[in-house]
């Protein structure tokens, strides 16, 4: 049976079972409290609660973020809430506790510091109105935690259960709670009554009048008969109990001799009256609970427990850590002074029932030592001592009361416990005992003081690093953690009040120093005259940071040379010659009312102080919508003062804007507030998680980026600058709406949260209703039975089927309506007649995104009556997509689940669920045809004659031929400002122009919930022959990415620049900017020849130039001829065509024809021994051959390589190029043309999955294809020349070429050029480009070669590389050899993460590499988010190809030189399985490999995988066979 070994675990389990909401207060979100680990485990395991109707909700809250604010909203909405917290939160929460005491809130308190708890944090709040229970042992903690919840539910009042963890050390583990007992103890009926009510109220600090009451007529008779008067009348001494059955610890509240009402105050059962809950009622309820526990377990509890001899004359009343005393007393010998002493502890500390204390004491007790472990003593006598005195020294029995002696209990080591007890007993026996005697040390040894120390979360260091980057030695953070502050505690030194005061003092000090300098400038005490003039200059610009910092070194140098006494005095404070950038750093804890006063003072003072306040509240966190938390908008708060510079920034959204804001804040003369967003749930959250949360918050307006400078108006500039580009229009609309909404909220503040929070959902509901009503109106005049079709579609198949079905239904006389499931108002479903549901399958058997809300509504609805509707479901899936037998349940799971649920809700099937399977001969159409026939039959329209012939679906070939040479309606679509998208057909055509329309998939769900269209933006890909750019072009690309894109550049696996996040309105300006850089994007994508690649070859620059010239000739020769590109993108203001690189010709395509090629066409050139362009992976591969003199002679030509695959479709496969033969270099462009023309004329234009050149060659045969090419050429290929490849990765570091120039290849992980707080890469490359005189060569592995550096410039370039960390090559061989495609969030085809995840996976493998001596070994690892193969994964030694979010197919056995395809090893595995496979395999490789044996070859030799000999055998002999059995 499971056991519990800690108090925190025992209490956390009870809180979880007994609550709707548990607020888990933690020292930091990345550090566990005594309770949080258990609560998190229960949540992850989805353990059902007992009180909660659904799963209990656990909210993690930082201890300094005013955690009790989060209790109000759920309590007032009828939820039972508990809080698990350290005692350090209690005093600062006193304003809340007085109100919360009137609600059934349970607070479980672990007393801190753990090594020596301070019980004054309990006594200080004893009058707050809570009931206080104290436990000591592990078993007691479990029982009293349950008692606390039962009492709160029964009484409707707050209960605080507190304990000292040290008291339970050494306790034996106990069994987990008995769920049946918990149910029996908790009053579930009372709980349900509370849960069904909504109390309301919005006030936090003002009493809202809520009071827990009792209806006396409803009191059970047994509670009345167990009145405390009956117990008080008993003169029988209490029976001593065992230590396990008692609790030895106490708690505090207002004293009274006896808080019991009299019998006469209790109304008869016949009369029902309501009155406030009394102490007597509390005790009766509690005693009833304890009676149930005793009956079930035998464990007995009383308000006060006495342990010890029944005839003891002395007793200890301990309000502190009792464990060491109990152990010492139990181990006492008869000769010890304390051998016969008793111990009294308070189980029920408040209400304090004096009569119960009297009853607990044996009559023999003559003297009582009261030990109070209270650090914050505010009165001479301790609060517990006063309680006991009032109980025992008043009333009739006062004369016979024991002598009461107070003691202050300090820290006592276990080894000195006997000595301490002996001293207490000796003092107690004195005729006149010493009162308030201190026992133990008042100071805790430093090695034991491990309380909640303030720490800066790792993730928050990003902003500190940026401050350091900008200001360097000028930076001064007044409240920096770990700073030396003259004995001030870290918690005080870190707060805004202390920091502000510190800065004021520092500014005063500098002012005095400036005065001293001014006086010195006039002094005659210098040895030389030189310092005086420099000091005068400095004094004039002392408040200007730039001038002061420029002059400071000169002043200091003159003073050093002078050597006078006055010079020495000034040099003693030489740091003050520099104008510091002074900052206060805080968290969003400063934004709550309890922490806001320091912020207010700093802003109101008008002092030149900079504040950086980091807000970590995730957008998606529920508390963000909790209006009662009263978290201030510090930015708005500061702007209202009118004297402060204010900026709202987010480093994971716009690094550039963060830099601008911090620099402007420093330059502003007055208070500056920079509120910085860095959302996380755990302080060790991955950058990916932080990035995704940031994007949601910024995109949807939760965290707008802006800067406010009240001085701008003087310069004719706007004070307010909105920097979050995407929401400008939406925010303007919101602000217009807000003018009205704000007035409404002022009149009705109680509605404010609902009005603002529900806006997005209201918009979404209105959109659904409008669309549905429009359909209904359109169908109103038609005849025939209605048929409503709703679909959920990811890739368009389900949507296309739905629309086709609707057209066919109309032809049969039906009134049809088609909508996406999430666009359909679910409340209308019961009123429909015939409903057809068509859904595809996403991810791991999940609904597509536009059907998830619909499914959630259907799944969770308890009152949806569908008994009057008819329905049928058709599902699209792939029976082989999840090959493992246990995963077969995912096949068509959404459709199956939907069919079962709709039938369960009473609907009648028109036809059984139809299952479309991609593995059928005609794909899903096989199952669909059978299902559709049954549907028409059920609807009685299967025999309709004269049906019109359906037009064939529009294909890409149709779009191309109708496009007027790639024009389409692109120009018109760009002018449409009503949407960020363009027409579907234009989306196909813009690819030819070098741009794809995408949307940000991180934001899809949130934007849909807000009633917004997807966050559409465009990817732009440049055409860059051979990957060579000039420094000027680099600077222009850098500027374009910042001005028009998302501030990053992507260096692609095809050696070119790619920009992401370009919104439609900036698309044309971006294209024009690229044109001005003498670059273009035409034919960078689309069914044409794309960017031609060339090996980087830094060691042979002349040879590289010769090969590069050939690549340029090929590229230019195969360029499309249409003038549409110039017409659409490059017209000048006078509507004239802008010419580039020669005059545009008339519209015709002599090479391509009006339909261009069947599919994309890719050409690459490799220069042996380097295959860094993966020459075997492309439609045409050229292998450069040099002559005896080392000059280019010709090429071996390959044809038919290609990477694109469709998962589980064995008709698709990757292929390496087939050797055509050799030809001289001057013929290269003609040969490429003829190969392309054969593909143009013979490629498959009906099936795009079969349209690449690789399939054309396999269908024809290599020899036949070669013959057709040779026929067009008019000559035959020569025999291929010998060559050897030794690697397909880049050679990093410095290399020198034959001309004496230097080249540096730097590592750029996955080609992403961006600035981060840790690595300002983009800024560094920008600075290098400003002075570099050579080239930038982009590599096919997504890295960058800085080429052509003259020796004279070498030191300068090296200095910049070092300054910006660009010279760092200390990475593992695995990381240096890795590559990933973009995938999420922008690629619409991605099924899983790639670029953002591969670095994380490699990090998790690097320790294993280190342990096995493989850190420097090159292993080619690649990852893609889908099987299209952009990062050429099929040639990697180990590859991971996305199958679903978080799941990947794993491939092994690729050739290290890029010459051999890999093969499937495992399908659909998660990270845990990847690591379980890779770590032992890497260890085995280290131990068993042969000399020089590469990883891919090794996996084949040991039999893990079989070699793939050609593309057609790619699916043969895989390591994991797919199972055909269906679950």
């Amino acid at each position: 049976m499971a056991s519990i070994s800690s108090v925190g675990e025992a209490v956390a389990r009870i809180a979880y079972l007994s609550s709707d909401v548990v607020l888990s207060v933690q020292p930091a979100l990345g550090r566990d409290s005594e309770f949080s680990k258990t609560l998190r485990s229960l949540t992850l395991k989805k353990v059902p609660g007992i009180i909660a109707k659904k799963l209990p909700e656990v909210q993690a809250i930082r201890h300094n973020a005013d955690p009790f604010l989060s209790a109000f909203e759920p309590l007032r909405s009828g939820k039972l809430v508990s809080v698990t917290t350290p005692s350090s939160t209690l005093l600062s929460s006193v304003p809340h506790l007085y109100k919360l005491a009137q609600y059934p809130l349970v607070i479980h308190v672990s007393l801190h510091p753990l090594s020596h708890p301070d019980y004054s944090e309990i006594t200080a709040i004893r009058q707050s109105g809570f009931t206080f229970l104290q436990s000591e042992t592990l078993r007691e903690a479990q029982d009293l935690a349950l008692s606390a919840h039962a009492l709160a539910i029964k009484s409707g009042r707050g209960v605080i259960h507190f304990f000292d963890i040290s008291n339970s050390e050494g306790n034996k583990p106990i069994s987990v709670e008995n769920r049946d007992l918990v149910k029996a103890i908790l009053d579930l009926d009372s709980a349900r009554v509370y849960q069904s009510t909504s109390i309301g109220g919005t006030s936090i600090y003002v009493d809202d009048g809520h009071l827990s009451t009792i209806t006396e007529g409803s009191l059970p008779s047994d509670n009345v008969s167990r009145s405390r008067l009956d117990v008080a009348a008993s003169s029988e001494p209490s029976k001593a109990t065992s230590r396990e059955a008692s609790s030895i610890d106490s708690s505090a509240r207002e004293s009274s001799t006896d808080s019991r009402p009299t019998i006469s105050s209790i109304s008869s059962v016949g009369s029902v009256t309501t009155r406030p809950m009394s102490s007597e009622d509390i005790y009766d309820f509690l005693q009833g609970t304890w009676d149930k526990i005793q009956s079930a377990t035998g464990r007995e509890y009383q308000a006060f427990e006495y342990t010890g001899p029944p005839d003891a004359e002395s007793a200890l009343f301990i309000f502190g850590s009792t464990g060491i005393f109990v152990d010492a007393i139990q181990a006492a010998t008869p000769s010890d002074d304390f051998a016969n002493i008793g111990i009294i502890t308070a189980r029920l500390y408040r209400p304090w029932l004096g009569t119960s204390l009297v009853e607990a004491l044996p009559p023999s007790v003559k003297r009582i030592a009261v030990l109070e472990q209270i650090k914050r003593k505010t009165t001479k006598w301790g609060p517990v001592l006063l309680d006991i005195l009032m109980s025992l020294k008043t009333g009739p029995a006062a004369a016979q009361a024991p002598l009461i002696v107070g003691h202050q209990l300090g820290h006592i080591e276990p080894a000195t416990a006997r000595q301490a007890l002996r001293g207490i007993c000796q003092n107690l026996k004195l005729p006149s005992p010493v009162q308030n005697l201190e026992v133990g040390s008042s100071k805790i040894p430093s090695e034991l003081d491990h309380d909640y120390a303030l720490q800066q979360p790792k993730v928050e260091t990003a902003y500190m690093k940026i401050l350091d980057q900008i200001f360097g030695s000028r930076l001064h953070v007044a409240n920096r953690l770990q700073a030396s502050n003259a004995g001030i505690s870290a918690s005080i030194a870190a707060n805004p009040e202390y920091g502000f005061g510190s800065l004021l003092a520092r500014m005063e000090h500098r002012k005095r120093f400036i005065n001293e300098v001014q006086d010195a400038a006039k002094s005659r005490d210098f040895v030389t005259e030189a310092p005086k003039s420099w000091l005068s200059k400095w004094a004039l610009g002392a408040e200007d940071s730039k001038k002061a910092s420029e002059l400071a070194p000169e002043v200091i140098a003159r003073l050093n040379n002078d050597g006078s006494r006055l010079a020495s005095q000034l040099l003693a404070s030489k740091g003050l010659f520099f104008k510091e950038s002074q900052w206060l750093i805080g968290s969003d804890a400063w934004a709550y009312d309890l922490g806001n006063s320091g912020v207010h003072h700093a802003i109101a003072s008008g002092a030149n102080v900079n504040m950086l306040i980091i807000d970590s509240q995730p957008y998606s966190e529920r508390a963000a919508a909790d209006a009662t938390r009263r978290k201030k908008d510090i930015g708005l708060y500061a702007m209202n003062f009118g004297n402060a510079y204010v900026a709202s920034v987010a480093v994971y959204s716009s690094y550039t804007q963060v830099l601008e804001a911090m620099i402007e804040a420093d330059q502003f003369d007055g208070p500056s507030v920079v509120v910085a967003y860095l959302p996380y749930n755990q302080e060790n959250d991955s950058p990916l998680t932080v990035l995704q949360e940031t994007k949601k918050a910024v995109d949807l307006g939760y965290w707008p980026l802006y800067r406010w400078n009240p001085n701008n108006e003087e310069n004719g500039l706007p004070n307010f600058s909105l920097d979050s580009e995407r929401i400008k229009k939406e925010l303007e609309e919101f602000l217009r709406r807000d003018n009205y909404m704000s007035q409404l909220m002022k009149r009705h503040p109680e509605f404010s949260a609902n009005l603002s929070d529900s806006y997005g959902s209201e918009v979404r509901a209105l959109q659904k209703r409008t669309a549905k009503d429009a359909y209904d109106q359109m169908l109103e005049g038609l005849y025939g039975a209605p048929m409503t079709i709703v679909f959920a579609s990811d890739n368009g198949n389900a949507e296309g089927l739905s629309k086709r079905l609707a057209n066919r239904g109309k032809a049969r006389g039906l009134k049809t309506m088609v909508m996406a499931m999430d666009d359909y108002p679910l409340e209308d479903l019961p009123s429909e007649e015939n409903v057809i549901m068509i859904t595809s399958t996403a991810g791991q058997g999940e609904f597509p995104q536009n059907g998830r809300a619909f499914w959630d509504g259907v799944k969770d609805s308890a009152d949806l009556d569908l008994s009057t509707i008819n329905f049928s479901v058709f599902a699209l899936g792939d029976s082989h997509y999840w090959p493992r037998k246990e995963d077969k349940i995912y096949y068509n799971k959404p459709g199956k689940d939907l069919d079962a649920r709709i039938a369960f809700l009473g609907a009648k099937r028109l036809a059984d669920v139809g299952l479309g399977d991609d593995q059928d001969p005609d794909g899903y159409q096989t199952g669909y045809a059978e299902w559709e026939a049954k549907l028409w039959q059920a609807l009685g329209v299967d025999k309709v004659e004269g049906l019109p012939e359906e037009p064939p679906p529009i294909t890409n070939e149709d779009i191309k031929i109708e496009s007027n040479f790639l024009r389409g309606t692109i120009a018109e679509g760009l002018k449409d400002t009503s949407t960020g998208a363009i027409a579907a057909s234009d989306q196909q055509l813009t690819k030819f122009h070098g741009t794809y329309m995408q949307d940000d998939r991180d934001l899809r769900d949130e934007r849909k919930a807000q009633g917004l269209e997807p966050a559409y933006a465009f990817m732009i890909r440049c055409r860059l022959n051979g990957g060579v750019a000039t420094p000027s072009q680099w600077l222009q690309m850098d500027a374009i990415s910042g001005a028009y894109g998302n501030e990053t550049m992507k260096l692609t696996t095809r050696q070119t620049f790619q920009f992401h996040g370009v919104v439609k309105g900036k698309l044309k300006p971006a294209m024009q900017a690229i044109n001005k850089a003498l670059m273009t994007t035409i034919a960078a994508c689309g069914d044409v020849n794309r960017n031609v690649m060339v090996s980087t070859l830094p060691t042979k620059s002349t040879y590289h130039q010769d090969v590069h010239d050939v690549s340029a000739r090929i590229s230019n020769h195969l360029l499309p001829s249409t003038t549409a590109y110039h017409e659409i993108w490059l017209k000048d203001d006078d509507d004239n065509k802008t010419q580039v690189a020669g005059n545009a010709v008339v519209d015709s395509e002599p090479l391509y024809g009006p339909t261009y090629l069947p599919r994309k066409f890719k050409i690459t050139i490799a220069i042996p021994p380097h295959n860094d362009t993966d020459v075997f992976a492309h439609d045409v591969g050229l292998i450069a051959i040099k002559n005896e003199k080392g000059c280019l002679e010709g090429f071996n030509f390959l044809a038919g390589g290609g990477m694109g695959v469709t998962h589980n479709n064995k008709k698709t496969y990757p292929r390496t190029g087939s050797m055509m033969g050799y030809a001289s270099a001057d013929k290269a462009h003609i040969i490429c043309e003829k190969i392309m023309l054969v593909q143009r004329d013979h490629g498959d234009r009906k099936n795009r999955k079969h349209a690449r050149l690789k399939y054309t060659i396999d269908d024809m045969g290599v020899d036949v294809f070669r013959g057709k090419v040779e026929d067009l050429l008019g000559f035959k290929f020569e025999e291929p020349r010998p060559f050897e490849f030794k690697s397909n990765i880049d050679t990093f570091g410095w290399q020198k070429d034959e001309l004496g120039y230097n080249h540096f290849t730097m590592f750029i992980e996955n080609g992403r050029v961006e600035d981060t707080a840790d690595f300002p890469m983009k800024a560094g490359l920008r600075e290098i480009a400003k002075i570099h005189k050579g080239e930038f060569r982009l590599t096919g592995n997504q890295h960058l070669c800085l080429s052509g550096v003259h020796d004279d410039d070498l030191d300068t370039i090296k200095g910049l590389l070092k300054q910006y960390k660009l010279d760092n090559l200390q990475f593992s061989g695995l990381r240096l050899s890795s590559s990933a495609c973009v995938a999420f969030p922008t690629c619409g085809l991605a099924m899983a993460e790639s670029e953002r995840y591969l670095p994380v996976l490699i990090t998790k493998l690097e320790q294993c590499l280190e342990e096995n001596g493989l850190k420097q070994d090159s292993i080619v690892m690649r990852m893609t988010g889908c099987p299209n193969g952009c990062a050429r994964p099929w040639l990697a030694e180990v590859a991971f190809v996305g199958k679903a979010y978080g799941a990947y197919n794993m491939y092994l056995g690729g050739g290290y030189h890029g010459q051999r395809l890999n093969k499937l090893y495992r399908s659909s595995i998660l990270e845990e399985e990847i690591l379980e496979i890779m770590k032992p395999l890497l260890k085995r490789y280290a131990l068993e490999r042969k000399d020089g044996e590469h990883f891919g070859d090794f996996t084949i030799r040991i039999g893990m995988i079989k070699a793939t000999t050609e593309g057609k055998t790619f699916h043969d002999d895989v390591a994991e066979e797919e199972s055909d059995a269906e679950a």
Side-chain angles (χ1 to χ4, degrees), residues 572-762:
S573 302
K574 63 182 178 182
L576 296 177
F577 281 111
F578 296 88
K579 178 72 160 47
E580 290 178 333
S581 182
Q582 298 178 330
W583 291 80
L584 288 172
I585 313 293
S587 71
D588 51 355
W590 289 9
Y592 297 104
D593 291 321
L594 296 180
N596 202 54
S597 57
V599 176
H600 168 86
H601 290 316
I603 298 171
S605 71
N608 191 7
V609 174
N610 304 311
M611 284 185 284
L612 173 67
I613 300 173
I614 301 172
D615 193 308
S616 59
Q617 180 99 61
Y619 168 77
S620 57
E621 188 178 304
R622 180 188 173 280
D626 183 358
T628 61
R629 282 191 62 80
R630 296 292 176 88
K631 184 176 174 180
K632 291 184 185 293
D633 182 336
I634 293 184
L636 182 60
Y637 185 80
M639 281 191 283
N640 282 331
F641 275 85
N643 69 333
Y645 173 90
V646 183
S648 174
V649 304
V651 68
Y652 279 86
S653 179
S654 177
Y655 178 88
T656 303
Q657 192 238 3
V658 178
L659 295 178
E660 291 174 343
M662 288 179 172
I663 292 170
E664 289 174 358
D666 177 63
Q667 293 172 346
F668 185 79
D669 187 13
S672 298
V673 178
V674 178
V675 284
Y677 196 51
L678 202 71
Y680 56 85
N681 292 292
Q682 300 286 334
E683 278 89 345
N684 55 358
D685 272 358
S686 70
L688 174 57
T689 303
V690 178
L691 170 68
Q692 290 173 322
E693 284 291 339
T694 302
K695 287 170 66 176
K696 290 177 190 175
V698 173
D699 183 83
L700 296 170
Y702 171 74
W703 192 270
L705 306 183
Y706 63 81
R707 285 166 294 144
W708 164 271
N709 189 335
N711 293 346
N712 276 357
E713 197 170 0
E714 299 172 6
N715 302 319
L717 299 172
N719 289 351
F720 185 81
S721 173
L722 182 64
D723 298 320
S724 39
E725 293 288 343
R726 183 178 300 286
I727 64 165
K728 272 190 175 177
K729 179 180 177 182
E730 294 158 11
L731 187 59
E732 287 168 4
E733 292 172 353
F734 169 77
L735 292 173
R736 285 198 297 270
R737 161 186 171 267
D738 199 47
N739 288 333
Y740 164 73
M741 295 290 282
S742 59
Q743 297 302 318
L744 184 59
M745 291 178 191
K746 287 177 182 176
R747 291 198 301 271
H748 304 285
E750 68 274 18
F751 297 146
S752 62
N754 289 334
L755 285 169
S756 57
D757 292 345
S758 63
Y759 177 60
S761 56
E762 287 172 6

Side-chain angles (χ1 to χ4, degrees), residues 317 447 455 606 682 805 927 1026 1032 1179 1199 1216 1257 1296 1343 1513:
F317 191 111
E447 66 271 16
Q455 293 182 352
Q682 300 286 334
L805 181 66
S1032 173
D1179 295 272
T1216 52
I1257 291 179
K1296 200 177 257 312
H1343 305 301
T1513 66

Side-chain angles (χ1 to χ4, degrees), residues 43-65:
T43 302
L44 291 174
K45 293 176 182 177
K46 297 184 178 180
V47 175
I50 290 174
I51 287 296
K53 296 175 182 177
K54 296 181 180 179
L55 290 176
E57 179 185 352
V58 177
Q59 296 180 22
I61 304 176
R62 284 177 295 145
H63 74 110
N64 61 346

Side-chain angles (χ1 to χ4, degrees), residues 991-992 1023 1025 1054 1081-1093 1110-1120 1151-1152 1156-1164 1178-1180 1182 1229 1232-1233 1236 1239:
K991 295 178 183 179
F992 292 80
R1023 188 179 181 89
N1025 295 332
R1054 294 201 56 76
T1081 67
I1082 189 169
C1085 323
D1087 298 342
V1088 289
N1089 175 57
R1090 300 189 178 185
N1091 198 53
V1092 180
M1093 298 174 67
V1110 173
S1111 76
R1113 190 159 65 244
I1114 295 171
S1115 180
N1116 293 334
H1117 182 65
L1118 301 182
L1119 203 63
L1151 285 179
Y1152 291 104
Y1156 296 85
L1157 299 179
R1159 283 289 262 133
K1160 67 182 79 171
F1161 197 81
K1162 298 180 178 180
I1163 299 175
T1164 187
H1178 298 76
D1179 295 272
V1180 179
L1182 288 75
H1229 62 296
C1232 291
E1233 175 202 317
M1236 189 183 79
Q1239 165 65 356

